[in-house]
Amino acid sequence: MCPDIRNNYEISNYVWFLNSLIDNADDVKALRKARVLNNLLGSDDEVAKIFNTVSTDLVLYTGKYDRVRDNIEKIYNRKVSTWFAELQLKHFNTPWTIIGLISAFLGFNLTIVTLIRELSK
């Protein structure tokens, strides 16, 4: 750190922020899929270890990313968002499942309409 240069600790704050998001290889994988990180080290476990060791002795301007992290936690802790994400990942992860659901819905509605017409005759 040079005393003549104005420093807001942007790099060390960003490394600290990423470390607050990364605990293990699964977190690195999620950040890679979201295109936040680009892993050129080989394994996600190595990236997690690097972030967990590098960020131990950082000089920080605290509070810079607190609002961002709090907003991420609020979204993550919403039950409805979690349910929709699980529903999408487990049951509607391909276009064919969505097409199948729409087809089943249309078939069910057409069956009900046909039954109502037959009963009203």
Side-chain angles (χ1 to χ4, degrees), residues 73-97:
E73 286 183 16
K74 283 180 189 175
I75 291 169
Y76 180 77
N77 289 330
R78 286 187 201 153
K79 292 292 182 190
V80 175
S81 299
T82 305
W83 292 337
F84 278 121
E86 286 179 8
L87 184 69
Q88 181 184 6
L89 289 173
K90 289 182 181 177
H91 302 291
F92 298 108
N93 54 356
T94 65
W96 294 110
T97 56

Side-chain angles (χ1 to χ4, degrees), residues 59-70:
V59 176
L60 300 173
Y61 170 67
T62 58
K64 191 167 187 105
Y65 290 106
D66 286 345
R67 187 172 46 101
V68 174
R69 198 176 78 239
D70 290 342

